[in-house]
């Protein structure tokens, strides 16, 4: 592919894939660590850790975005990778739940710094929109591959080693990612725009720019739809498959893979689709597909029906998320990209911070039918709001 002829992108994409697979191993290892420390309270520990992760993303990303243009990109990305490696390699030594919470907050603090800076670098490598759209699709594919490959890799590794080794492998992945980043020269950050005011003005600049832009207000509403659908799928798949349908662990993995497959399919097709179709129409259609998938859950589907619903849900999610970087690039000057990408990172994860606990509480206390209904209504209302907030013209 033409994208990989550019050494900078080739190394950055490889760094992203390696770091994501390593992070996926830690996700599995963390579940097993929580089980070892908390026993039957493992779900409670994991839920709290996930909430801490989202809080770190929401709070830290705007801070990094505000000052990212004043720091050398390559040095910042390498330093954050090394700090992530240091935190992950500490996980095998924890002896109490509170230590897990502290390390998860630190790990995701550094990730909240790394991801928006990484995302804001790609449009500086590919200035033309067609190649940048392809790069966004490749980035989405990397996330989907991680969702499919990491659990399978972890299962094979756990057959021959303890779960603590997964943390060590993740640390090695972060270090390899740092080596790949340091091996190329990255485009310099643009001269930062002048900000009138003090620290708060600098921190809020990206969010203010985001909320002033009609198409990005629409994107924020669609982020709510993605979080509503994604939280239902991520949090309640294991409950629905194991306890409602009575299927085994393999079926849980297949159900997760169905959503990833739908997302991958769209990520592969989207560069061609966006040549022919308006991106607003594609993204709004994605919101409608996610809503339809959730309402389909009201029919109490069997296992194969659930696979179809999750395939559609994954496709709809990718139709919204894959073009979002293109939308951000179109909505700002080059010198505003770091703060705007940081604002998207923070605001989108704020939506997940609402979606995750809501999906868990609804599923546990009200039942799957109510969870499907409430989150389906949220996804539909958010998509309809996006239509109003993002005018066609």
């Amino acid at each position: 592919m033409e994208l990989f002829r550019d050494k900078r992108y080739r190394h950055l994409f490889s760094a992203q894939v390696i770091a994501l697979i390593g992070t996926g191993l830690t996700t599995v290892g963390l579940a097993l660590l929580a089980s070892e420390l908390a026993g039957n309270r493992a779900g409670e520990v994991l839920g709290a850790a996930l909430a801490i992760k989202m809080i770190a993303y929401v709070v830290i990303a705007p801070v990094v975005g505000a000052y990212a243009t004043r720091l050398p990109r390559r040095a910042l990305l390498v330093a954050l990778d090394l700090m992530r490696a240091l935190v992950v390699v500490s996980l095998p030594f924890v002896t109490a739940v509170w230590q897990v919470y502290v390390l998860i907050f630190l790990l995701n603090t550094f990730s909240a710094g790394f991801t928006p800076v990484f995302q804001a670098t790609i449009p500086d490598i590919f200035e033309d929109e067609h190649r940048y759209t392809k790069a966004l699709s490749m980035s989405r594919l990397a996330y989907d591959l991680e969702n499919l490959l990491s659990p399978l890799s972890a299962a094979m590794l756990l057959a021959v080693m303890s779960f603590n080794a997964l943390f060590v492998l993740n640390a090695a992945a972060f270090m390899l990612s740092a080596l790949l980043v340091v091996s190329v020269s990255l485009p310099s950050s643009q001269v930062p725009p002048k900000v009138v005011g003090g620290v708060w003005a600098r921190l809020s600049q990206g969010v203010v720019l985001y909320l002033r832009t009609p198409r990005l207000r629409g994107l924020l509403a669609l982020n709510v739809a993605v979080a509503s659908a994604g939280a239902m799928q991520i949090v309640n798949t294991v409950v629905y498959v194991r306890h409602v349908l009575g299927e085994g662990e393999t079926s849980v993995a297949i159900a997760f893979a169905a959503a990833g497959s739908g997302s991958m399919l769209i990520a592969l097709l989207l560069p061609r689709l966006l040549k022919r179709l308006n991106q607003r129409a594609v993204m709004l259609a994605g919101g409608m597909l996610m809503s339809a998938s959730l309402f389909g859950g009201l029919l109490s589907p069997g296992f194969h029906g659930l696979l179809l619903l999750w395939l559609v849900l994954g496709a709809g999610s990718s139709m919204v998320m894959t073009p979002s970087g293109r939308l951000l690039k179109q909505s700002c000057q080059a010198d505003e990209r770091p703060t705007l990408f940081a604002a998207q990172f923070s605001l989108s994860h704020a939506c997940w911070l609402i979606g995750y606990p809501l999906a868990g509480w609804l599923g546990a206390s009200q039942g799957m039918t109510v969870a499907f209904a409430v989150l389906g209504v949220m996804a539909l209302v958010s998509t309809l709001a996006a239509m109003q907030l993002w005018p066609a013209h």
Side-chain angles (χ1 to χ4, degrees), residues 23 26-28 30-31 34 41-59 97 100-109 147 227 230-236 238 256 348-361:
T23 301
T26 286
T27 300
V28 177
L30 184 63
R41 289 180 50 243
E44 181 183 333
V45 172
L46 281 173
L50 202 58
I52 288 170
K53 172 182 177 179
M54 293 298 110
I55 291 169
Y57 282 178
V58 171
V59 172
V97 170
V100 174
Y101 294 157
V102 171
L103 290 175
I104 289 301
F105 181 78
L106 289 174
L107 174 62
N108 290 290
T109 292
N147 289 334
M232 182 66 196
Q233 183 255 324
I234 292 168
V235 172
N236 287 323
V238 65
F256 275 110
S348 64
H349 283 90
C351 300
W352 286 93
L353 182 57
I354 297 168
Y356 277 135
L358 182 60
W361 176 77

Side-chain angles (χ1 to χ4, degrees), residues 189-369:
S189 297
Q190 301 289 331
V191 177
K194 293 182 179 179
V195 180
V196 178
V199 174
W200 174 248
R202 189 177 304 285
L203 295 180
S204 61
Q205 180 194 23
V207 174
V208 170
L209 177 60
Y210 192 105
L211 296 178
R212 280 180 181 169
T213 309
R215 65 167 71 96
L216 297 186
R217 290 199 294 270
L219 175 60
L220 180 57
L222 288 170
N223 283 331
V224 175
V226 170
S228 302
M232 182 66 196
Q233 183 255 324
I234 292 168
V235 172
N236 287 323
T237 290
V238 65
V239 179
Y240 193 87
V241 173
R242 295 294 303 276
H243 300 288
V244 176
L245 300 179
E247 299 283 343
E249 293 180 359
T250 303
S251 297
V252 174
I254 293 171
F256 275 110
S261 299
S263 185
M264 283 180 65
L265 178 65
I266 293 299
L268 287 169
L269 295 175
L270 211 55
R272 292 180 182 177
L273 286 176
L274 289 175
K275 285 184 178 179
R276 299 177 176 86
L277 300 174
N278 176 277
Q279 64 188 2
R280 176 181 180 272
V282 169
M283 296 173 75
L284 292 173
M288 288 297 184
L289 279 179
M290 289 185 288
S291 305
S293 173
L294 291 173
F295 287 132
L298 300 178
L299 301 174
S300 300
F303 180 63
H304 292 97
L306 183 70
L307 294 185
L308 177 60
L309 292 183
W310 274 190
L311 184 77
V312 172
L313 187 149
S317 175
S318 188
M319 288 169 72
V320 173
M321 297 311 298
T322 304
S324 62
R326 222 169 83 137
L327 214 62
L328 292 167
K329 183 185 177 186
Q330 292 166 353
S331 302
C332 66
Q333 302 299 321
D335 57 2
E336 296 167 327
R337 281 177 194 155
T339 56
L340 200 62
F341 274 84
Q344 160 67 2
F345 188 82
S346 184
L347 291 170
S348 64
H349 283 90
C351 300
W352 286 93
L353 182 57
I354 297 168
Y356 277 135
L358 182 60
W361 176 77
L362 287 170
S365 65
Q366 307 299 315
M368 288 295 115
T369 300

Side-chain angles (χ1 to χ4, degrees), residues 55-271:
I55 291 169
Y57 282 178
V58 171
V59 172
I60 300 301
V63 178
V64 176
Y67 292 94
T69 53
R70 286 167 164 72
L71 299 170
R73 272 180 177 166
R74 185 170 65 172
L76 178 60
L77 292 173
V78 169
L80 290 169
D81 256 341
L82 294 177
M83 294 304 291
R84 292 197 290 179
L86 183 62
V87 171
V88 168
V89 84
S90 303
L91 280 168
F93 302 102
V94 304
T95 56
V97 170
W98 70 266
Q99 295 169 353
V100 174
Y101 294 157
V102 171
L103 290 175
I104 289 301
F105 181 78
L106 289 174
L107 174 62
N108 290 290
T109 292
F110 298 132
S111 292
F114 184 95
T115 304
V117 174
F118 176 90
Q119 291 172 337
T121 302
I122 303 302
D124 286 341
I125 293 176
F126 297 125
E127 291 288 348
D128 67 285
E129 198 163 90
H130 177 61
R131 289 201 299 166
Y132 180 51
T133 302
K134 285 187 174 181
L136 289 174
S137 293
M138 292 303 297
S139 180
R140 186 70 212 172
L141 276 174
Y143 283 102
D144 295 331
L145 283 171
E146 184 269 318
N147 289 334
L148 289 172
L149 295 180
S150 290
L152 296 175
S153 301
M156 290 187 289
L157 290 168
L158 289 169
V160 295
M161 61 183 66
S162 77
F163 70 84
N164 284 326
L166 300 180
F167 301 131
V168 177
L169 289 172
N170 188 190
F174 284 142
M175 293 179 71
L176 183 54
S177 172
L179 287 174
L180 285 165
V181 173
V182 82
S183 67
V184 290
S185 177
L186 300 181
S188 300
S189 297
Q190 301 289 331
V191 177
K194 293 182 179 179
V195 180
V196 178
V199 174
W200 174 248
R202 189 177 304 285
L203 295 180
S204 61
Q205 180 194 23
V207 174
V208 170
L209 177 60
Y210 192 105
L211 296 178
R212 280 180 181 169
T213 309
R215 65 167 71 96
L216 297 186
R217 290 199 294 270
L219 175 60
L220 180 57
L222 288 170
N223 283 331
V224 175
V226 170
S228 302
M232 182 66 196
Q233 183 255 324
I234 292 168
V235 172
N236 287 323
T237 290
V238 65
V239 179
Y240 193 87
V241 173
R242 295 294 303 276
H243 300 288
V244 176
L245 300 179
E247 299 283 343
E249 293 180 359
T250 303
S251 297
V252 174
I254 293 171
F256 275 110
S261 299
S263 185
M264 283 180 65
L265 178 65
I266 293 299
L268 287 169
L269 295 175
L270 211 55

